[in-house]
């Protein structure tokens, strides 16, 4: 195995050649926040929370897609990065209707956890309060766009792992929305296999199982690693 | 077709044109058509047939002549006389024009409509990319070939190696005309050195800036020049296929490009074995569906591949991994427009134009409050004052110049104190603006700067693709704050938040759209901060644009 050595936050660490800065940091137990990235799905670089400072580069670098290079000097916890990350979370909270108190994921939500961890205690910007309809037409799952952060994990898992491509994006800018089928009710789509992968990878309460009440929904994202390693190596031992 | 046949084709056409005693060229680009040019051309054609002048007088289509606000434009090329340009031609003027130029009558009533060639509008310009634009018929290959079309392609295919071509472009100092100004030669060399079974050349003709139409005009007026530049690039980097990406709003440009590609392929100038050489190069048109973000190179390539037009993080850069994972050269349409002239007249000649670091000429779409508006091509390094006061003829109604917005929604405003700034990449960047693709909007003292910033922010907000959080949410919040400022409902805290948002969106956005979206705010804040403060503190708009009907009480 070829190894590269780099410095993250003044710590010298080694990483597998070809791994991203984020993966290298994770292996060394260094926390870099991210919401759109999920191991097993293609990188997206969309949430911009994982930006880090790389010495010698004038721009901030998205650690989820940038490969770790020999001799790189990376900082993940500067004052500017912290401030920007809090602002990004604030913007996410203003653009949809995130009301934790009535959410099925309350207490287990990645957005909620990230906001708390990064120290977002209030929002300085105006809320948009968009009028978005919940789609409960599917027999097993519900999609609530009010809690969506447009990370596209559901879109990617449906396309890349399940191979159904039932979910996709529509519109642009603030009007971007996740759709099912060709923007028809989820229950009417014929491509959906009801596999529920999208439910498990969704970081918030935007996609959840029918019948779960406030703070009841539990998601297991480790199934993705299991299913992918199972495909590659024929190992099928989830839950162990 | 080989080079000798190409020369023969040029000669036949030149002789055909020389047969006519008088040639009447009617500008048929979008601005002139919209002011009625088709009727003028038809009227000339009818009059020529009716009066039996068909053997000695020709009425022909031409590309853009420049002063678009004065259309329809007509050029009279009379044998043995200097060319005459008429502005705002009406069907009633057809007969008098024929009487004057064909029959030699004196018609004094026409004098007022003549645009002299020595007026500063023309004299201060230097046409390189648009050299043929006002002369040739964009829908006839012969007309383009007679003006020297495809000579450069013939030369590189026979006399130069691909590396020679890259070096020649590098030596010319040509920089990308899409706005960022990356040295074109370096880009070509990087694609040439990249390894791949297949390589692609892409021309970016997706021009979305408000008030800019440089690429449209070039594609409409001289499509073969763009195609030739792409073919030269294809030869230089080792590509056999090119795509020209045209936005859906430019149907005439697409129609003429399509016609040009068909004609050039039939004549053996493009397609398989171009000009009887082993070089194959096919060009296809891809129509964009009208998204500003698709001008960003990675989003544009996604769109060409039939995917959702959203940017993808770089690296890998297109030079390594572009279309379908293959090395791809992507340049602006105007950049390709320079290539043939560089080959024809040499890198030294080209490097002699412009300033030390910004070589050549730049096309600007001059819009706004100047007396003359339209399309101009000027040497790099010309001052803003020369553009506004000499070429533009000053500000309408004798008002005061306030600012010029360069680079569209990604650019910034240049205030009156900096009128003597040379227009080159570095000088504009130092002022917090950019060259951009060449939109140039001149504003007088009736423009309110916070309102201008709000306009551009509304544009960026609508055109944000929605992929990354800072751009999607940040542009909306910036627009809301600007709206509050122009409605008199903002506080100084809002201004603080606005500045902080600008910095964050600029530093964290995924692609150029978000990274440059705050520029109009940042540059107006830099030069016109007092206007923002007056709006907030005193609920007063110095330019008299903003209304404060909903203004909150001053006590707050």
């Amino acid at each position: 195995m070829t190894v590269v050595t780099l410095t993250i936050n003044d710590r010298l660490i080694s990483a597998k050649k070809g791994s991203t800065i984020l993966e290298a940091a994770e292996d060394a137990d260094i926390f870099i926040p991210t919401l759109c990235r999920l191991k097993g799905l293609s990188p997206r670089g969309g949430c911009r929370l994982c930006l880090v400072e790389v010495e010698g580069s004038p721009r901030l670098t998205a650690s989820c897609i940038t490969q770790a290079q020999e001799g790189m000097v990376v900082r993940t916890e500067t004052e500017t990065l912290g401030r920007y990350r809090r602002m990004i979370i604030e913007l996410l909270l203003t653009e949809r209707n995130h009301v934790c108190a009535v959410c099925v994921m309350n207490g287990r939500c990645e957005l909620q956890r990230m906001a708390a961890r990064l120290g977002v205690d209030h929002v300085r910007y105006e809320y948009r309060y968009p009028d978005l309809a919940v789609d409960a037409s599917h027999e097993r799952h519900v999609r609530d766009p009010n809690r969506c952060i447009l990370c596209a994990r559901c879109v990617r898992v449906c396309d890349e792992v399940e191979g159904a491509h039932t979910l996709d994006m529509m519109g642009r800018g603030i009007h971007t929305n996740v759709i099912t089928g060709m923007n028809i009710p989820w229950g009417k789509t014929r491509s959906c296999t009801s596999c529920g992968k999208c439910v498990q990878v969704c970081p918030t309460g935007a996609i959840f199982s029918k019948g779960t009440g406030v703070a009841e929904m539990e998601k297991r994202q480790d199934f993705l690693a299991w299913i992918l390693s199972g495909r590659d190596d024929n190992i099928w031992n989830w839950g162990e | 077709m080989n080079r000798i046949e190409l020369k023969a084709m040029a000669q036949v056409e030149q002789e055909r044109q020389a047969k006519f005693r008088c040639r009447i060229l009617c500008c048929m680009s979008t601005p002139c058509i919209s002011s009625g040019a088709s009727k003028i051309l038809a009227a000339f054609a009818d009059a020529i047939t009716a009066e039996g002048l068909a053997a000695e007088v020709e009425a022909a289509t031409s590309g853009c002549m420049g002063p678009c606000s004065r259309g329809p434009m007509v050029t009279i090329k009379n044998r043995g006389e200097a060319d005459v340009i008429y502005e705002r031609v009406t069907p009633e003027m057809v007969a008098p024009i024929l009487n004057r130029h064909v029959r030699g009558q004196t018609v004094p009533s026409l004098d007022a409509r003549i645009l002299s060639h020595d007026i500063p509008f023309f004299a201060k310009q230097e046409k390189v990319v648009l050299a043929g634009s006002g002369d040739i018929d964009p829908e006839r290959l012969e007309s383009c070939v007679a003006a020297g079309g495809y000579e450069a392609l013939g030369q590189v295919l026979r006399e130069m190696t691909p590396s020679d071509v890259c070096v020649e472009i590098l030596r010319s100092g040509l920089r990308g005309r899409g706005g960022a100004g990356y040295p074109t030669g370096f880009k070509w060399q990087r694609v040439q050195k990249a390894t791949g079974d297949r390589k692609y050349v892409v021309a970016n003709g997706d021009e979305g800036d408000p008030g800019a139409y440089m690429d449209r005009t070039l594609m409409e007026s001289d499509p073969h020049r763009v195609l030739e530049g792409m073919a030269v690039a294809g030869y230089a980097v080792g590509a056999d296929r090119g795509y020209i990406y045209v936005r859906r709003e430019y149907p005439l440009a697409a129609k003429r490009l399509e016609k040009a590609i068909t004609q050039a392929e039939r004549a053996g100038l493009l397609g398989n074995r171009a000009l009887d050489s082993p070089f194959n190069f096919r060009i296809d048109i891809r129509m964009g569906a009208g998204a500003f973000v698709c001008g960003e190179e990675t989003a544009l390539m996604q769109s060409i591949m039939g995917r959702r037009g959203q940017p993808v993080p770089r690296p890998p850069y297109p030079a390594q991994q572009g279309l379908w994972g293959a090395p791809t050269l992507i340049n602006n349409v105007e950049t390709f427009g320079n290539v043939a002239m560089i080959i024809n007249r040499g890198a030294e000649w080209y490097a002699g134009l412009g300033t030390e670091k910004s070589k050549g000429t730049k096309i600007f779409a001059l819009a706004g409050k100047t007396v003359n508006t339209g399309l101009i091509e000027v040497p790099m390094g010309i001052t803003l004052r020369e553009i506004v006061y000499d070429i533009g003829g000053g500000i309408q109604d004798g008002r005061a110049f306030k600012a010029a917005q360069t680079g569209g929604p990604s650019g910034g405003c240049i205030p009156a104190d900096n009128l003597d700034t040379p227009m080159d990449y570095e000088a504009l960047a130092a002022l917090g603006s950019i060259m951009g693709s060449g939109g140039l909007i001149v504003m007088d003292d009736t423009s309110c700067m916070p309102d201008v910033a709000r306009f551009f922010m509304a544009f960026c907000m609508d055109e944000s693709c929605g992929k990354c959080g800072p751009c999607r949410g940040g542009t909306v919040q910036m627009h809301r704050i600007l709206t509050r400022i122009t409605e008199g409902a903002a506080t100084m805290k809002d201004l603080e938040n606005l500045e902080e948002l600008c910095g964050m969106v600029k530093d964290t956005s995924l692609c150029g759209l978000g990274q440059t979206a705050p520029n109009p705010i940042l540059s107006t804040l830099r030069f016109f901060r007092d206007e923002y403060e007056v709006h907030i503190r005193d609920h007063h708009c110095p330019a008299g644009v903003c209304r404060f009907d909903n203004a909150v009480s001053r006590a707050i």
Side-chain angles (χ1 to χ4, degrees):
Chain A
M1 186 176 80
T2 331
V3 169
V4 291
T5 318
L6 67 158
T7 313
I8 302 184
N9 300 344
D10 299 325
R11 237 179 87 193
L12 210 58
I13 64 157
S14 353
K16 223 194 302 183
K17 195 176 167 75
S19 61
T20 62
I21 298 175
L22 185 71
E23 285 162 351
E26 263 177 3
D27 289 343
D29 274 332
I30 297 168
F31 169 73
I32 299 180
T34 172
L35 283 173
C36 69
R37 179 235 181 210
L38 190 65
K39 212 172 182 172
L41 299 179
S42 63
R44 178 168 165 88
C47 72
R48 314 308 282 170
L49 283 172
C50 71
L51 289 176
V52 294
E53 287 179 14
V54 175
E55 227 164 72
S57 158
R59 297 212 74 92
L60 300 176
T61 307
S63 61
C64 66
I65 38 160
T66 310
Q67 282 193 6
Q69 308 278 346
E70 183 66 41
M72 224 177 211
V73 180
V74 181
R75 308 205 155 270
T76 68
E77 296 290 339
T78 64
E79 191 274 325
T80 319
L81 287 175
R83 194 160 44 88
Y84 284 171
R85 286 171 186 161
R86 283 192 295 277
M87 288 170 82
I88 291 172
I89 298 277
E90 283 178 63
L91 288 177
L92 286 177
L93 292 171
T94 59
E95 75 186 14
R96 296 288 166 102
N97 306 307
H98 295 279
V99 189
C100 299
V102 293
C103 179
V104 290
M105 284 289 277
N106 192 6
R108 300 183 178 92
C109 167
E110 284 182 52
L111 176 66
Q112 194 183 41
R113 214 181 308 150
M114 194 66 79
R117 179 156 190 176
L118 296 177
V120 179
D121 46 17
H122 67 291
V123 174
R124 285 166 291 174
Y125 313 118
E126 220 180 318
Y127 281 87
R128 286 184 60 249
Y129 301 119
D131 180 14
L132 300 168
V134 176
D135 181 358
S137 58
H138 194 279
E139 55 172 337
R140 289 167 63 185
H141 319 308
V142 183
R143 200 175 60 80
D144 181 358
N146 295 295
R147 291 155 185 167
C148 179
I149 57 167
L150 299 169
C151 65
R153 281 187 191 175
C154 55
V155 174
R156 283 176 286 162
V157 82
C158 187
D159 178 38
E160 295 166 12
V161 183
E162 178 63 9
H165 204 135
T166 303
L167 294 146
D168 210 328
M169 294 275 194
M170 180 179 131
R172 69 184 177 207
I174 206 75
H175 305 293
T176 308
N177 213 348
V178 172
I179 52 165
T180 44
M182 288 290 203
N183 196 22
I184 55 170
W186 199 352
K188 292 225 169 98
T189 58
R190 290 166 72 187
S191 57
C192 179
T193 59
S194 304
C195 71
K197 290 187 178 70
C198 51
V199 180
Q200 302 304 324
V201 298
C202 173
T204 67
I207 302 182
F208 57 94
S209 300
K210 222 172 217 181
T212 44
V214 172
E216 277 180 0
M217 183 73 208
E218 235 177 293
K219 295 189 177 180
R220 294 213 53 184
Q221 290 168 357
D222 50 347
F223 87 97
L224 199 61
W226 169 75
I227 203 172
L228 292 172
S229 70
R231 280 183 190 180
D232 291 344
D233 311 328
N234 256 339
I235 306 169
W236 307 94
N237 53 349
W238 191 24
E240 280 172 23
Chain B
M1 183 184 282
N2 57 32
R3 285 177 84 186
I4 297 168
E5 287 163 341
L6 183 72
K7 286 218 166 73
M9 186 190 216
Q11 206 178 346
V12 169
E13 172 67 13
Q14 280 159 1
E15 281 164 8
R16 191 194 71 82
Q17 289 180 6
K19 248 180 27 204
F20 296 108
R21 181 158 66 88
C22 179
R23 297 187 68 232
I24 299 164
L25 304 179
C26 299
C27 174
M28 281 291 173
S29 55
T30 302
C32 279
I33 289 180
S34 64
S35 50
S38 319
K39 272 190 212 143
I40 307 294
L41 179 63
F44 272 116
D46 290 348
I48 289 167
T49 333
E51 299 180 34
L53 293 167
E56 45 180 346
V57 182
E58 181 195 34
T61 299
S62 88
C64 177
M65 298 178 190
C68 304
S69 58
R70 295 165 179 264
M73 309 282 303
V74 170
T75 305
I76 310 291
K77 285 178 167 295
N78 233 353
R79 198 188 291 158
E81 279 175 35
D83 294 356
V84 177
I85 300 183
Y86 286 98
E87 57 168 340
R88 298 192 180 98
V89 179
T90 54
E92 293 76 45
M93 284 166 69
V94 167
I97 287 177
L98 282 176
N99 285 339
R100 180 176 182 150
H101 293 278
V102 180
R103 303 216 174 79
Q105 293 177 10
T106 40
V107 188
S109 63
L110 285 178
D111 288 352
R113 298 291 181 90
I114 291 182
L115 266 185
S116 160
H117 264 292
D118 346 318
I119 59 167
F121 183 89
F122 293 112
K124 284 256 174 178
Q125 292 194 50
E126 175 122 22
K127 300 225 170 175
V128 172
V129 180
L130 294 176
S133 159
D135 273 335
I136 56 171
D137 181 346
E139 303 207 8
R140 286 185 62 232
L141 174 65
E142 296 82 356
S143 172
C144 300
V145 167
Y150 294 98
E151 259 175 37
L153 181 61
Q155 190 184 335
V156 299
L157 291 180
R158 289 290 164 195
E159 292 163 26
M160 294 168 89
T161 66
S163 306
D164 289 347
V165 183
C166 292
V167 170
E168 189 76 3
I169 298 296
L170 188 63
R171 279 177 45 228
S172 73
L174 175 65
R175 295 172 65 173
R177 296 293 191 249
Y182 188 80
T184 306
F186 277 132
K187 209 185 226 181
W188 288 28
Q189 281 180 333
R190 285 182 70 177
V191 181
Q192 194 210 2
K193 283 175 189 148
T195 45
D197 300 339
R198 196 140 208 207
K199 292 180 188 175
Y200 296 96
V201 170
V202 176
N204 182 348
D206 188 85
E207 180 179 54
D209 310 32
Y213 53 97
M214 297 76 53
D215 294 348
R216 181 187 74 196
T217 307
L218 180 58
M219 292 186 285
E220 278 176 9
S221 301
D222 203 348
H224 286 286
R225 184 178 293 263
V226 180
L227 301 179
E228 186 183 5
M230 289 175 73
V232 170
Y235 174 72
V237 303
D240 64 354
R241 202 174 173 112
Y243 289 99
I244 181 158
Y245 190 87
V246 186
R247 57 194 268 124
R248 180 77 62 188
E249 288 88 335
Y250 291 176
L252 185 64
K255 191 191 109 192
R256 288 194 177 155
L257 280 167
E258 203 173 332
K259 205 162 181 175
I261 292 170
T262 316
Q263 289 171 343
E265 280 188 357
R266 283 206 184 131
L269 297 165
L270 290 175
N272 286 345
R273 298 188 48 79
L275 277 154
D276 279 359
S277 75
F279 173 61
N280 305 324
F281 195 69
R282 280 202 52 192
I283 298 178
D284 279 317
I285 300 176
R286 283 285 179 278
M287 297 295 282
F292 181 61
V293 74
C294 286
E296 202 274 344
E297 57 182 16
T298 58
L300 186 150
M301 290 191 303
Q302 294 291 312
S303 179
I304 288 181
M305 292 187 281
R307 299 178 193 162
R308 187 171 155 88
Q310 285 190 327
V312 182
R314 294 170 296 177
Y317 287 91
Q320 278 108 42
Q321 265 184 54
L323 287 177
W324 295 285
T328 302
L329 173 75
I330 172 160
N331 275 140
N332 188 264
V333 157
E334 191 187 333
T335 314
F336 285 119
N338 280 284
V339 170
M341 282 301 236
I342 292 172
I343 302 291
N344 284 337
R345 302 187 65 171
E348 281 76 27
W349 165 80
Y350 192 83
L353 296 168
T355 64
E356 198 196 332
K357 282 186 173 166
S358 306
K359 304 290 187 194
T361 58
K362 179 77 194 84
I363 307 178
F364 288 103
L366 183 61
K369 295 291 174 66
T370 48
V371 173
N372 303 323
T373 57
L375 206 71
I376 59 169
E377 185 174 357
V378 289
M380 293 270 192
I382 190 171
T383 64
L384 184 58
R385 188 184 297 279
E386 286 174 281
I387 293 184
V388 173
Y389 285 97
D390 298 341
I391 297 177
I395 308 293
Q396 289 169 17
D397 308 325
R399 300 197 76 99
F401 171 90
K402 184 168 188 181
Q405 160 86 21
T406 69
S410 319
C413 289
I414 301 173
D417 298 347
N418 298 83
L419 262 173
D420 291 307
T421 305
M423 301 291 273
D424 65 40
Y425 291 101
E426 278 76 23
L428 289 175
L431 288 174
S433 186
I434 56 163
M435 177 80 73
S437 52
L440 186 60
I441 301 168
V442 176
M443 291 174 275
D444 65 9
D445 52 5
T446 57
S447 293
C448 163
M449 299 324 268
D451 188 58
V452 168
R454 189 178 64 105
F455 167 80
F456 282 110
M457 195 45 65
F459 181 83
C460 289
M461 176 179 75
D462 287 341
E463 295 294 338
S464 166
C465 77
K467 179 167 177 175
C468 79
C471 176
R472 184 180 68 226
T475 50
V476 170
Q477 293 298 341
M478 289 192 283
H479 181 257
R480 291 198 159 196
I481 297 177
L482 288 167
T483 307
R484 283 207 293 278
I485 291 175
T486 53
E487 283 175 353
T491 61
M492 289 309 277
K493 183 78 192 154
D494 280 324
L495 192 60
E496 217 173 279
N497 281 344
L498 179 66
E499 280 191 278
E500 202 185 14
L501 272 170
C502 285
M504 191 274 284
V505 173
K506 197 178 172 74
D507 288 348
T508 59
S509 288
L510 171 61
C511 83
L513 196 162
Q515 287 161 9
T516 58
N519 282 358
I521 304 181
L522 289 169
S523 76
T524 47
L525 269 174
R526 178 171 166 186
F527 297 115
F528 301 96
R529 195 184 182 88
D530 51 325
E531 270 192 44
Y532 282 85
E533 290 178 356
V534 167
H535 274 77
I536 297 169
R537 288 220 174 95
D538 306 333
H539 298 158
H540 170 66
C541 176
V545 173
C546 305
R547 313 219 137 260
F548 299 104
D549 303 338
N550 302 320
V552 288
S553 148
R554 277 175 207 215
I556 295 174

